[in-house]
mmCIF file of all heavy atoms in Angstrom:
data_model
loop_
_atom_site.group_PDB
_atom_site.id
_atom_site.type_symbol
_atom_site.label_atom_id
_atom_site.label_comp_id
_atom_site.label_asym_id
_atom_site.label_seq_id
_atom_site.Cartn_x
_atom_site.Cartn_y
_atom_site.Cartn_z
ATOM 1 N N TYR O 297 -62.838 53.500 -22.800
ATOM 2 C CA TYR O 297 -62.795 52.578 -21.740
ATOM 3 C C TYR O 297 -62.561 53.407 -20.344
ATOM 4 O O TYR O 297 -63.214 53.128 -19.368
ATOM 5 C CB TYR O 297 -61.781 51.528 -21.832
ATOM 6 C CG TYR O 297 -62.221 50.363 -22.618
ATOM 7 C CD1 TYR O 297 -61.732 50.092 -23.891
ATOM 8 C CD2 TYR O 297 -63.170 49.491 -22.157
ATOM 9 C CE1 TYR O 297 -62.105 49.035 -24.664
ATOM 10 C CE2 TYR O 297 -63.599 48.387 -22.861
ATOM 11 C CZ TYR O 297 -63.065 48.165 -24.172
ATOM 12 O OH TYR O 297 -63.442 47.084 -24.788
ATOM 13 N N ALA O 298 -61.652 54.338 -20.411
ATOM 14 C CA ALA O 298 -61.284 55.235 -19.239
ATOM 15 C C ALA O 298 -62.610 55.989 -18.809
ATOM 16 O O ALA O 298 -62.884 56.087 -17.580
ATOM 17 C CB ALA O 298 -60.204 56.059 -19.568
ATOM 18 N N GLY O 299 -63.242 56.563 -19.753
ATOM 19 C CA GLY O 299 -64.420 57.286 -19.454
ATOM 20 C C GLY O 299 -65.520 56.449 -18.839
ATOM 21 O O GLY O 299 -66.181 56.833 -17.943
ATOM 22 N N MET O 300 -65.708 55.249 -19.415
ATOM 23 C CA MET O 300 -66.689 54.371 -18.930
ATOM 24 C C MET O 300 -66.363 53.948 -17.541
ATOM 25 O O MET O 300 -67.273 53.815 -16.703
ATOM 26 C CB MET O 300 -66.812 53.181 -19.831
ATOM 27 C CG MET O 300 -67.544 53.475 -21.124
ATOM 28 S SD MET O 300 -68.018 51.958 -22.003
ATOM 29 C CE MET O 300 -66.687 50.895 -21.663
ATOM 30 N N ALA O 301 -65.157 53.664 -17.258
ATOM 31 C CA ALA O 301 -64.751 53.147 -15.928
ATOM 32 C C ALA O 301 -65.091 54.084 -14.880
ATOM 33 O O ALA O 301 -65.433 53.838 -13.730
ATOM 34 C CB ALA O 301 -63.226 52.856 -15.891
ATOM 35 N N ALA O 302 -65.028 55.410 -15.219
ATOM 36 C CA ALA O 302 -65.330 56.466 -14.267
ATOM 37 C C ALA O 302 -66.720 56.458 -13.887
ATOM 38 O O ALA O 302 -67.134 57.033 -12.769
ATOM 39 C CB ALA O 302 -64.875 57.825 -14.732
ATOM 40 N N THR O 303 -67.640 55.950 -14.761
ATOM 41 C CA THR O 303 -69.046 56.059 -14.482
ATOM 42 C C THR O 303 -69.603 54.935 -13.571
ATOM 43 O O THR O 303 -70.733 54.944 -13.062
ATOM 44 C CB THR O 303 -69.927 56.036 -15.776
ATOM 45 O OG1 THR O 303 -69.760 54.722 -16.347
ATOM 46 C CG2 THR O 303 -69.491 57.076 -16.668
ATOM 47 N N VAL O 304 -68.742 53.908 -13.370
ATOM 48 C CA VAL O 304 -69.311 52.728 -12.554
ATOM 49 C C VAL O 304 -68.638 52.652 -11.246
ATOM 50 O O VAL O 304 -67.664 53.339 -10.910
ATOM 51 C CB VAL O 304 -69.028 51.369 -13.374
ATOM 52 C CG1 VAL O 304 -69.708 51.391 -14.715
ATOM 53 C CG2 VAL O 304 -67.485 51.259 -13.619
ATOM 54 N N GLY O 305 -69.395 51.849 -10.356
ATOM 55 C CA GLY O 305 -68.941 51.832 -8.956
ATOM 56 C C GLY O 305 -68.184 50.643 -8.589
ATOM 57 O O GLY O 305 -67.404 50.680 -7.518
ATOM 58 N N ASP O 306 -68.185 49.504 -9.305
ATOM 59 C CA ASP O 306 -67.377 48.397 -8.934
ATOM 60 C C ASP O 306 -67.030 47.605 -10.176
ATOM 61 O O ASP O 306 -67.512 47.943 -11.344
ATOM 62 C CB ASP O 306 -68.175 47.454 -7.995
ATOM 63 C CG ASP O 306 -69.580 47.060 -8.584
ATOM 64 O OD1 ASP O 306 -69.585 46.498 -9.686
ATOM 65 O OD2 ASP O 306 -70.620 47.323 -7.906
ATOM 66 N N SER O 307 -66.170 46.644 -9.980
ATOM 67 C CA SER O 307 -65.634 45.924 -11.157
ATOM 68 C C SER O 307 -66.610 45.056 -11.910
ATOM 69 O O SER O 307 -66.499 44.850 -13.076
ATOM 70 C CB SER O 307 -64.404 45.061 -10.704
ATOM 71 O OG SER O 307 -64.937 44.137 -9.597
ATOM 72 N N GLN O 308 -67.698 44.531 -11.191
ATOM 73 C CA GLN O 308 -68.687 43.822 -11.809
ATOM 74 C C GLN O 308 -69.461 44.676 -12.843
ATOM 75 O O GLN O 308 -69.735 44.253 -13.933
ATOM 76 C CB GLN O 308 -69.638 43.204 -10.827
ATOM 77 C CG GLN O 308 -70.521 42.156 -11.368
ATOM 78 C CD GLN O 308 -71.448 41.479 -10.309
ATOM 79 O OE1 GLN O 308 -71.323 41.954 -9.072
ATOM 80 N NE2 GLN O 308 -72.225 40.540 -10.611
ATOM 81 N N GLU O 309 -69.755 45.918 -12.370
ATOM 82 C CA GLU O 309 -70.483 46.831 -13.257
ATOM 83 C C GLU O 309 -69.625 47.249 -14.400
ATOM 84 O O GLU O 309 -70.148 47.394 -15.524
ATOM 85 C CB GLU O 309 -70.683 48.104 -12.375
ATOM 86 C CG GLU O 309 -72.119 48.723 -12.502
ATOM 87 C CD GLU O 309 -72.252 49.942 -11.678
ATOM 88 O OE1 GLU O 309 -71.773 49.996 -10.521
ATOM 89 O OE2 GLU O 309 -72.934 50.789 -12.126
ATOM 90 N N SER O 310 -68.324 47.397 -14.185
ATOM 91 C CA SER O 310 -67.423 47.788 -15.254
ATOM 92 C C SER O 310 -67.309 46.668 -16.288
ATOM 93 O O SER O 310 -67.294 46.949 -17.488
ATOM 94 C CB SER O 310 -66.058 48.178 -14.667
ATOM 95 O OG SER O 310 -65.261 47.099 -14.363
ATOM 96 N N ALA O 311 -67.247 45.423 -15.869
ATOM 97 C CA ALA O 311 -67.294 44.334 -16.773
ATOM 98 C C ALA O 311 -68.441 44.245 -17.644
ATOM 99 O O ALA O 311 -68.368 44.042 -18.805
ATOM 100 C CB ALA O 311 -67.009 42.955 -15.964
ATOM 101 N N THR O 312 -69.625 44.552 -17.088
ATOM 102 C CA THR O 312 -70.823 44.563 -17.838
ATOM 103 C C THR O 312 -70.808 45.677 -18.871
ATOM 104 O O THR O 312 -71.084 45.443 -20.028
ATOM 105 C CB THR O 312 -72.077 44.798 -16.884
ATOM 106 O OG1 THR O 312 -71.955 43.905 -15.913
ATOM 107 C CG2 THR O 312 -73.362 44.617 -17.607
ATOM 108 N N LEU O 313 -70.419 46.904 -18.473
ATOM 109 C CA LEU O 313 -70.351 47.997 -19.338
ATOM 110 C C LEU O 313 -69.309 47.845 -20.427
ATOM 111 O O LEU O 313 -69.508 48.275 -21.632
ATOM 112 C CB LEU O 313 -69.980 49.243 -18.516
ATOM 113 C CG LEU O 313 -70.391 50.603 -19.187
ATOM 114 C CD1 LEU O 313 -71.916 50.591 -19.445
ATOM 115 C CD2 LEU O 313 -70.086 51.759 -18.250
ATOM 116 N N ALA O 314 -68.219 47.169 -20.149
ATOM 117 C CA ALA O 314 -67.108 46.919 -21.061
ATOM 118 C C ALA O 314 -67.560 46.097 -22.317
ATOM 119 O O ALA O 314 -66.923 46.226 -23.334
ATOM 120 C CB ALA O 314 -65.955 46.249 -20.371
ATOM 121 N N THR O 315 -68.654 45.325 -22.099
ATOM 122 C CA THR O 315 -68.991 44.525 -23.236
ATOM 123 C C THR O 315 -69.609 45.415 -24.480
ATOM 124 O O THR O 315 -69.572 44.859 -25.601
ATOM 125 C CB THR O 315 -70.118 43.499 -22.827
ATOM 126 O OG1 THR O 315 -71.184 44.236 -22.187
ATOM 127 C CG2 THR O 315 -69.588 42.475 -21.899
ATOM 128 N N LEU O 316 -70.144 46.494 -24.152
ATOM 129 C CA LEU O 316 -70.714 47.354 -25.224
ATOM 130 C C LEU O 316 -69.600 47.793 -26.234
ATOM 131 O O LEU O 316 -69.808 47.355 -27.413
ATOM 132 C CB LEU O 316 -71.332 48.588 -24.598
ATOM 133 C CG LEU O 316 -72.557 48.387 -23.755
ATOM 134 C CD1 LEU O 316 -73.070 49.729 -23.077
ATOM 135 C CD2 LEU O 316 -73.684 47.898 -24.590
ATOM 136 N N PRO O 317 -68.512 48.433 -25.857
ATOM 137 C CA PRO O 317 -67.535 48.719 -26.866
ATOM 138 C C PRO O 317 -66.911 47.358 -27.387
ATOM 139 O O PRO O 317 -66.436 47.421 -28.553
ATOM 140 C CB PRO O 317 -66.462 49.646 -26.126
ATOM 141 C CG PRO O 317 -66.747 49.338 -24.718
ATOM 142 C CD PRO O 317 -68.122 48.946 -24.524
ATOM 143 N N MET O 318 -66.879 46.382 -26.588
ATOM 144 C CA MET O 318 -66.272 45.112 -27.030
ATOM 145 C C MET O 318 -66.900 44.594 -28.240
ATOM 146 O O MET O 318 -66.450 44.132 -29.199
ATOM 147 C CB MET O 318 -66.269 44.176 -25.838
ATOM 148 C CG MET O 318 -65.199 43.095 -25.982
ATOM 149 S SD MET O 318 -65.369 41.886 -24.712
ATOM 150 C CE MET O 318 -64.819 42.689 -23.229
ATOM 151 N N PHE O 319 -68.364 44.627 -28.201
ATOM 152 C CA PHE O 319 -69.127 44.184 -29.352
ATOM 153 C C PHE O 319 -68.791 44.992 -30.578
ATOM 154 O O PHE O 319 -68.707 44.479 -31.691
ATOM 155 C CB PHE O 319 -70.668 44.289 -28.984
ATOM 156 C CG PHE O 319 -71.143 43.193 -28.197
ATOM 157 C CD1 PHE O 319 -71.821 43.311 -26.995
ATOM 158 C CD2 PHE O 319 -70.993 41.922 -28.686
ATOM 159 C CE1 PHE O 319 -72.311 42.261 -26.293
ATOM 160 C CE2 PHE O 319 -71.437 40.809 -28.045
ATOM 161 C CZ PHE O 319 -72.165 40.891 -26.803
ATOM 162 N N VAL O 320 -68.684 46.311 -30.356
ATOM 163 C CA VAL O 320 -68.426 47.172 -31.584
ATOM 164 C C VAL O 320 -67.060 46.824 -32.133
ATOM 165 O O VAL O 320 -66.926 46.718 -33.379
ATOM 166 C CB VAL O 320 -68.425 48.651 -31.129
ATOM 167 C CG1 VAL O 320 -68.018 49.631 -32.181
ATOM 168 C CG2 VAL O 320 -69.790 49.149 -30.626
ATOM 169 N N VAL O 321 -66.038 46.671 -31.242
ATOM 170 C CA VAL O 321 -64.754 46.422 -31.777
ATOM 171 C C VAL O 321 -64.678 45.006 -32.409
ATOM 172 O O VAL O 321 -64.089 44.816 -33.447
ATOM 173 C CB VAL O 321 -63.713 46.398 -30.483
ATOM 174 C CG1 VAL O 321 -62.445 45.877 -30.875
ATOM 175 C CG2 VAL O 321 -63.582 47.863 -30.063
ATOM 176 N N ILE O 322 -65.285 44.019 -31.702
ATOM 177 C CA ILE O 322 -65.253 42.667 -32.321
ATOM 178 C C ILE O 322 -66.051 42.620 -33.636
ATOM 179 O O ILE O 322 -65.589 42.019 -34.555
ATOM 180 C CB ILE O 322 -65.787 41.672 -31.247
ATOM 181 C CG1 ILE O 322 -64.736 41.533 -30.184
ATOM 182 C CG2 ILE O 322 -65.978 40.302 -31.945
ATOM 183 C CD1 ILE O 322 -65.241 40.650 -29.006
ATOM 184 N N GLY O 323 -67.061 43.378 -33.706
ATOM 185 C CA GLY O 323 -67.855 43.466 -34.966
ATOM 186 C C GLY O 323 -67.001 43.999 -36.104
ATOM 187 O O GLY O 323 -67.015 43.497 -37.180
ATOM 188 N N ALA O 324 -66.303 45.093 -35.749
ATOM 189 C CA ALA O 324 -65.347 45.719 -36.768
ATOM 190 C C ALA O 324 -64.282 44.815 -37.139
ATOM 191 O O ALA O 324 -63.902 44.713 -38.303
ATOM 192 C CB ALA O 324 -64.834 47.073 -36.175
ATOM 193 N N PHE O 325 -63.820 44.088 -36.184
ATOM 194 C CA PHE O 325 -62.752 43.108 -36.411
ATOM 195 C C PHE O 325 -63.187 42.057 -37.330
ATOM 196 O O PHE O 325 -62.537 41.738 -38.350
ATOM 197 C CB PHE O 325 -62.300 42.479 -35.035
ATOM 198 C CG PHE O 325 -61.438 41.277 -35.184
ATOM 199 C CD1 PHE O 325 -60.088 41.425 -35.456
ATOM 200 C CD2 PHE O 325 -61.907 39.992 -35.019
ATOM 201 C CE1 PHE O 325 -59.243 40.272 -35.619
ATOM 202 C CE2 PHE O 325 -61.115 38.920 -35.155
ATOM 203 C CZ PHE O 325 -59.870 39.021 -35.461
ATOM 204 N N TYR O 326 -64.360 41.508 -37.154
ATOM 205 C CA TYR O 326 -64.895 40.426 -38.059
ATOM 206 C C TYR O 326 -65.156 40.948 -39.439
ATOM 207 O O TYR O 326 -65.048 40.234 -40.475
ATOM 208 C CB TYR O 326 -66.150 39.700 -37.427
ATOM 209 C CG TYR O 326 -65.672 38.587 -36.553
ATOM 210 C CD1 TYR O 326 -65.873 38.678 -35.236
ATOM 211 C CD2 TYR O 326 -65.100 37.426 -37.110
ATOM 212 C CE1 TYR O 326 -65.471 37.692 -34.374
ATOM 213 C CE2 TYR O 326 -64.644 36.476 -36.293
ATOM 214 C CZ TYR O 326 -64.780 36.573 -34.918
ATOM 215 O OH TYR O 326 -64.352 35.632 -34.078
ATOM 216 N N LEU O 327 -65.648 42.206 -39.480
ATOM 217 C CA LEU O 327 -65.865 42.815 -40.793
ATOM 218 C C LEU O 327 -64.569 42.791 -41.562
ATOM 219 O O LEU O 327 -64.453 42.367 -42.777
ATOM 220 C CB LEU O 327 -66.359 44.219 -40.641
ATOM 221 C CG LEU O 327 -66.802 44.966 -41.876
ATOM 222 C CD1 LEU O 327 -68.174 44.444 -42.314
ATOM 223 C CD2 LEU O 327 -66.960 46.497 -41.507
ATOM 224 N N GLY O 328 -63.461 43.191 -40.952
ATOM 225 C CA GLY O 328 -62.164 43.271 -41.553
ATOM 226 C C GLY O 328 -61.704 41.840 -41.957
ATOM 227 O O GLY O 328 -61.164 41.624 -43.061
ATOM 228 N N ILE O 329 -61.961 40.879 -41.126
ATOM 229 C CA ILE O 329 -61.457 39.536 -41.409
ATOM 230 C C ILE O 329 -62.227 39.018 -42.588
ATOM 231 O O ILE O 329 -61.705 38.322 -43.491
ATOM 232 C CB ILE O 329 -61.694 38.646 -40.201
ATOM 233 C CG1 ILE O 329 -60.793 38.971 -39.000
ATOM 234 C CG2 ILE O 329 -61.638 37.132 -40.557
ATOM 235 C CD1 ILE O 329 -59.363 38.653 -39.203
ATOM 236 N N MET O 330 -63.554 39.393 -42.638
ATOM 237 C CA MET O 330 -64.382 38.878 -43.883
ATOM 238 C C MET O 330 -63.874 39.560 -45.066
ATOM 239 O O MET O 330 -63.751 38.883 -46.101
ATOM 240 C CB MET O 330 -65.844 39.371 -43.573
ATOM 241 C CG MET O 330 -66.643 38.395 -42.690
ATOM 242 S SD MET O 330 -68.094 39.072 -42.167
ATOM 243 C CE MET O 330 -69.043 39.062 -43.676
ATOM 244 N N LEU O 331 -63.483 40.766 -44.992
ATOM 245 C CA LEU O 331 -63.059 41.443 -46.164
ATOM 246 C C LEU O 331 -61.655 40.913 -46.638
ATOM 247 O O LEU O 331 -61.509 40.678 -47.917
ATOM 248 C CB LEU O 331 -62.859 42.982 -45.925
ATOM 249 C CG LEU O 331 -62.422 43.772 -47.082
ATOM 250 C CD1 LEU O 331 -63.543 43.967 -48.149
ATOM 251 C CD2 LEU O 331 -61.938 45.184 -46.743
ATOM 252 N N LEU O 332 -60.887 40.644 -45.734
ATOM 253 C CA LEU O 332 -59.619 40.120 -46.064
ATOM 254 C C LEU O 332 -59.740 38.604 -46.556
ATOM 255 O O LEU O 332 -59.006 38.176 -47.489
ATOM 256 C CB LEU O 332 -58.604 40.005 -44.837
ATOM 257 C CG LEU O 332 -58.023 41.371 -44.461
ATOM 258 C CD1 LEU O 332 -57.372 41.213 -43.113
ATOM 259 C CD2 LEU O 332 -57.085 41.841 -45.474
ATOM 260 N N GLY O 333 -60.690 37.924 -45.942
ATOM 261 C CA GLY O 333 -60.858 36.515 -46.224
ATOM 262 C C GLY O 333 -61.429 36.339 -47.620
ATOM 263 O O GLY O 333 -60.961 35.460 -48.450
ATOM 264 N N ASN O 334 -62.421 36.981 -47.868
ATOM 265 C CA ASN O 334 -63.051 36.885 -49.309
ATOM 266 C C ASN O 334 -63.767 38.145 -49.597
ATOM 267 O O ASN O 334 -65.029 38.325 -49.224
ATOM 268 C CB ASN O 334 -63.973 35.679 -49.344
ATOM 269 C CG ASN O 334 -64.522 35.509 -50.705
ATOM 270 O OD1 ASN O 334 -64.215 36.294 -51.606
ATOM 271 N ND2 ASN O 334 -65.254 34.471 -51.016
#
Side-chain angles (χ1 to χ4, degrees):
Chain O
Y297 277 110
M300 284 193 325
T303 65
V304 295
D306 56 54
S307 52
Q308 198 177 357
E309 223 178 325
S310 76
T312 310
L313 200 58
T315 53
L316 291 174
M318 204 185 288
F319 275 126
V320 174
V321 168
I322 291 175
F325 167 77
Y326 274 110
L327 187 75
I329 292 288
M330 279 166 70
L331 183 70
L332 286 169
N334 185 358

